[in-house]
Amino acid sequence: MTQMQQVLKAYFGYDSFRPLQEEIIHHLLGKKDTLVLMPTGGGKSICYQLPALMSEGTAVIISPLISLMKDQVESLRANGVAAGALNSMNSETENSALRQACLNGQLKLLYISPEKLLAEMDYLLRDMHISLFAIDEAHCISQWGHDFRPEYTQLGILHERFPNVPIIALTATADKITREDIVKQLHLQEPRIFISSFDRPNLSLTVNRSFQQKEKHKAIIDFIRKHPGESGIIYCMSRSKTEDVALMLQGQGIRTAVYHAGLSPSLREQAQDDFINDRVQVVCATIAFGMGIDKSNVRWVIHYNLPKSMENFYQEIGRAGRDGLPSDTLLFYSLSDLILLTKFATESGQRKINIEKLQRMQQYAEADICRRRILLNYFGENRTYDCGNCDVCKNPPERFDGTIIVQKALSAIARTEQQIGTRMLVDILRGNLNAELKEKGYHQLKTYGVGREIPARDWQDYLLQMLQLGYIEVAYNENNHLKIAPAGREVLFGREHASLVVIKREEKTEGKKRRRKKETPTLAQSLENANTESTDLFEALRALRKRLADEEVLPAYIVMSDKVLHLLAQQRPTTIEAFGNISGIGEYKKKKYGKDFIELIRRFV
Ligand code: ADP
Ligand code: ZN
């Protein structure tokens, strides 16, 4: 074992490095500037924590949010590392004790906000021995990024003031403009840039085309029932939606909190804290929720509405499965979301870019090829094979000749002089009578009721497909009325055939899916090694972890990750030695928790 590997094992309990970590650490230990682009959960922290442990002095970590600092410091302390965070939330005594520890060289890592860093430039920082600067969430420096923080732009001064201290900047935002901006603004000296794959193979990808609220709610409840007791986030487009969904879940006895920008800071903090400490299982949130969340065992993410770009989508699903264990993501895609988002994009300042971004998101949601390929290709990673962990791979779409269906819809549009939106169209096709329809005389049309045999939700789906196939267009500037496009005319007049995708609903395909699953074990199954793991033991371990965490007032995942619990349930170590060999158990946790855990395991074997 190299010295680096020994330190990794002793403090973090891991046997080997992840791709690039070793090279990055080596580079930084050589006192050279470094830029690291790695996805969420890729293992960025170790890239500066390990060099901090291996160097003289204190590493200074700049982090934008107090909650992020807190999480990191707690994890480090739980591994027996001397770390602290200097911020406005601490009491004066805490902060002065921290200062003293820095000056005495007792602290290995000091977390600090950019504001505080600038304020301390001529005081604490000048007087202490700094081993390295790490700039976490470095994309905050760039106006092009999505989390721009003006304070970050002043960090360029670091190199001037501390020319001999190496800087490592880390981010999960990979685009080229942001990357160049980080290098330029931080004045990094001939930095080496490490870019790791942005694939997150442990995240399953599923898109559900649901159009009615009732249907969505049922799908969400079923989904959560398949994840008993497991933490998850539901992202919604509006504040009121987060509240609706939360109420619905609470009605089902699921502990749920709400998080959005309209709540007071204390309520938001409460929601976040309850989530981190497993007092609520679900958070219904707008996009405002997430950056401050380092909770490693978020097991699923649902998008109640379509996100407005792939960047947003990937960042949000990225909050699931940071610990590398299988985690599920589900995106609801509906025509009404698409119409609304298109309207927003059209009216926004950057019309062209926003429409383009939305269209890429739409292509992803409508894809009939492997979704992960689309995702990775979007982020510039050329992927040529299918992932096997998305709904398209697991359940490839089947097509049928839908010419007559398409003709019925187009003909109804034509007979109303292209003056109707989707809802009216479905009413006409289904032969529903409503006041407006009657007033306009649409019940006397030849097409009235010709699509009665197709349920409304399936009509919505076919219309979405027709939009995607270029048969119809939505006139966003004319009350979202539907217009027949040239390709549609070809089908309407019988010159072309239309091929549609068979609509599969959960209940219809359940039996089939189960059979498929048996043939090819999912990643979840192979990773969790379900057949060697006892669920009873796992649950008992989880309860023990919760008890220990509560005693220390720490989040459960800081005491032990879900991954470690699974490994314990599979390998069932009964000696302290064997316990210490489990990946993720360092020396400190071995001594601290070994006895409690092996006692419990012994009762099971
Ligand atoms: P990021 O900051 O890139 O989102 P983290 O640094 O939080 O990711 O790491 C994600 C998870 O992976 C953490 O639980 C961490 O302990 C774990 N991890 C990091 N490096 C390794 C490794 N070499 N072996 C096993 N697990 C690792
Ligand atoms: Zn796939």
Side-chain angles (χ1 to χ4, degrees):
M1 261 212 253
T2 64
Q3 197 202 348
M4 252 155 70
Q5 280 167 333
Q6 280 168 15
V7 179
L8 182 72
K9 181 71 199 162
Y11 283 98
F12 302 98
Y14 300 133
D15 300 306
S16 55
F17 286 100
R18 294 236 181 105
L20 297 183
Q21 283 178 331
E22 204 165 7
E23 286 163 83
I24 293 167
I25 295 168
H26 203 78
H27 195 74
L28 192 59
L29 285 172
K31 297 216 163 283
K32 292 186 204 124
D33 287 351
T34 315
L35 174 60
V36 173
L37 307 163
M38 233 184 229
T40 311
K44 287 186 284 297
S45 321
I46 283 189
C47 298
Y48 57 82
Q49 290 172 346
L50 208 84
L53 286 165
M54 294 178 72
S55 306
E56 298 261 314
T58 307
V60 175
I61 322 301
I62 294 110
S63 172
L65 291 176
I66 291 181
S67 60
L68 291 182
M69 295 187 205
K70 185 164 175 257
D71 190 275
Q72 294 260 335
V73 169
E74 282 174 348
S75 309
L76 284 165
R77 286 187 178 161
N79 279 324
V81 176
L86 200 60
N87 61 49
S88 49
M89 294 290 278
N90 293 349
S91 67
E92 257 323 296
T93 13
E94 272 175 285
N95 274 347
S96 68
L98 261 180
R99 278 203 161 74
Q100 204 52 49
C102 289
L103 296 175
N104 297 344
Q106 288 156 336
L107 208 70
K108 289 320 290 180
L109 294 103
L110 176 72
Y111 285 79
I112 194 167
S113 64
E115 300 88 336
K116 199 99 189 152
L117 175 100
L118 296 169
E120 292 288 354
M121 197 72 93
D122 292 319
Y123 303 94
L124 180 63
L125 292 190
R126 190 196 56 194
D127 297 334
M128 63 190 262
H129 179 58
I130 299 173
S131 55
L132 62 93
F133 286 111
I135 298 171
D136 206 6
E137 312 287 351
H139 59 277
C140 290
I141 207 168
S142 172
Q143 306 214 32
W144 307 108
H146 33 71
D147 294 311
F148 176 57
R149 306 230 148 195
E151 316 86 69
Y152 259 66
T153 52
Q154 295 180 47
L155 295 176
I157 194 173
L158 278 178
H159 243 327
E160 227 172 87
R161 303 296 289 274
F162 303 92
N164 300 320
V165 181
I167 295 181
I168 177 171
L170 310 104
T171 175
T173 301
D175 68 83
K176 210 162 158 228
I177 316 180
T178 312
R179 191 192 314 170
E180 284 165 1
D181 226 14
I182 294 172
V183 171
K184 195 171 103 210
Q185 294 207 44
L186 287 176
H187 304 293
L188 296 185
Q189 309 292 311
E190 297 169 25
R192 200 151 143 213
I193 302 178
F194 295 88
I195 305 176
S196 84
S197 166
F198 270 69
D199 192 11
R200 303 277 313 276
N202 60 321
L203 302 184
S204 77
L205 307 170
T206 303
V207 176
N208 184 331
R209 295 149 69 114
S210 286
F211 304 98
Q212 286 157 351
Q213 174 164 310
K214 218 169 69 194
E215 232 181 304
K216 276 193 192 179
H217 287 183
K218 184 177 174 305
I220 291 175
I221 292 166
D222 289 348
F223 181 95
I224 296 179
R225 297 249 182 272
K226 286 183 194 144
H227 292 267
E230 293 182 345
S231 306
I233 307 172
I234 302 178
Y235 284 105
C236 305
M237 192 161 18
S238 67
R239 296 172 185 182
S240 65
K241 205 34 101 189
T242 61
E243 281 161 8
D244 292 350
V245 179
L247 269 179
M248 184 274 292
L249 292 177
Q250 285 157 358
Q252 297 287 321
I254 297 166
R255 286 167 295 125
T256 307
V258 175
Y259 188 105
H260 57 69
L263 298 174
S264 70
S266 68
L267 281 178
R268 267 185 284 163
E269 202 172 305
Q270 179 72 45
Q272 181 167 315
D273 208 53
D274 285 345
F275 186 58
I276 288 174
N277 290 292
D278 299 327
R279 289 189 290 267
V280 298
Q281 185 190 350
V282 181
V283 174
C284 295
T286 54
I287 49 168
F289 183 70
M291 189 172 167
I293 297 292
D294 245 350
K295 185 176 169 65
S296 70
N297 60 343
V298 177
R299 289 270 71 87
W300 53 268
V301 168
I302 293 178
H303 279 90
Y304 192 91
N305 300 104
L306 188 72
K308 59 182 199 283
S309 72
M310 296 278 269
E311 283 89 351
N312 284 58
F313 174 66
Y314 203 49
Q315 198 189 27
E316 284 152 17
I317 61 169
R319 296 191 174 117
R322 275 167 175 267
D323 53 13
L325 288 179
S327 305
D328 294 319
T329 76
L330 172 62
L331 163 70
F332 286 106
Y333 179 44
S334 72
L335 193 54
S336 52
D337 281 0
L338 184 65
I339 291 175
L340 190 64
L341 286 168
T342 307
K343 184 166 141 54
F344 290 159
T346 312
E347 290 165 359
S348 71
Q350 290 173 298
R351 184 176 182 278
K352 205 160 160 261
I353 292 184
N354 289 337
I355 296 239
E356 164 79 23
K357 289 199 165 192
L358 181 61
Q359 281 170 350
R360 301 296 296 268
M361 192 63 234
Q362 182 186 354
Q363 282 161 12
Y364 170 86
E366 290 170 352
D368 52 13
I369 63 161
C370 172
R371 292 195 208 276
R372 201 172 310 268
R373 286 176 66 164
I374 301 181
L375 204 55
L376 291 174
N377 281 315
Y378 178 82
F379 290 108
E381 253 177 75
N382 226 304
R383 176 61 73 90
T384 52
Y385 52 92
D386 291 347
C387 78
N389 195 24
C390 72
D391 53 344
V392 179
C393 284
K394 287 182 202 159
N395 213 351
E398 291 161 32
R399 295 182 171 278
F400 70 103
D401 185 342
T403 310
I404 294 187
I405 292 177
V406 172
Q407 284 172 336
K408 284 179 180 171
L410 292 176
S411 142
I413 297 173
R415 284 169 198 274
T416 55
E417 314 285 323
Q418 312 193 77
Q419 293 301 314
I420 55 170
T422 57
R423 193 179 298 168
M424 180 63 86
L425 175 59
V426 173
D427 279 342
I428 294 172
L429 289 165
R430 299 256 315 137
N432 299 338
L433 204 56
N434 62 48
E436 192 193 344
L437 192 150
K438 209 167 165 187
E439 190 198 312
K440 298 243 163 85
Y442 292 157
H443 59 299
Q444 283 156 356
L445 295 177
K446 237 181 116 185
T447 37
Y448 183 72
V450 292
R452 204 170 260 128
E453 74 289 0
I454 297 174
R457 60 184 192 179
D458 288 3
W459 267 121
Q460 292 279 357
D461 195 309
Y462 291 137
L463 292 178
L464 192 58
Q465 294 191 39
M466 287 169 60
L467 191 67
Q468 175 187 356
L469 291 165
Y471 296 155
I472 51 175
E473 286 162 357
V474 178
Y476 295 102
N477 51 352
E478 281 181 48
N479 284 329
N480 299 326
H481 287 163
L482 301 171
K483 307 284 163 182
I484 301 172
R489 211 154 285 137
E490 297 301 297
V491 181
L492 181 58
F493 299 122
R495 292 192 288 264
E496 289 284 347
H497 280 266
S499 153
L500 295 179
V501 170
V502 178
I503 299 168
K504 294 178 197 160
R505 303 270 171 214
E506 274 284 297
E507 57 270 34
K508 289 186 204 154
T509 50
E510 196 79 332
K512 199 169 161 195
K513 252 194 210 154
R514 258 193 222 126
R515 247 176 286 131
R516 262 173 202 283
K517 254 193 186 154
K518 262 197 192 131
E519 286 157 23
T520 41
T522 62
L523 183 74
Q525 286 158 335
S526 49
L527 258 179
E528 282 182 21
N529 226 341
N531 45 359
T532 63
E533 180 177 321
S534 128
T535 12
D536 287 351
L537 176 55
F538 181 81
E539 287 309 323
L541 291 166
R542 187 146 85 158
L544 173 60
R545 173 179 72 171
K546 176 79 178 139
R547 181 168 69 75
L548 294 169
D550 285 347
E551 275 170 24
E552 295 183 69
V553 203
L554 281 178
Y557 67 88
I558 297 230
V559 169
M560 219 147 269
S561 70
D562 281 13
K563 190 156 195 171
V564 170
L565 289 197
H566 281 294
L567 291 173
L568 290 173
Q570 286 156 22
Q571 301 181 14
R572 297 168 212 162
T574 51
T575 63
I576 299 269
E577 189 68 57
F579 179 79
N581 284 336
I582 296 283
S583 170
I585 303 282
E587 286 298 323
Y588 192 78
K589 286 188 178 170
K590 173 171 135 188
K591 289 204 188 87
K592 188 163 175 189
Y593 301 122
K595 209 165 135 276
D596 285 334
F597 278 93
I598 60 176
E599 244 170 43
L600 175 71
I601 294 167
R602 276 191 186 146
R603 279 193 260 133
F604 275 80
V605 289

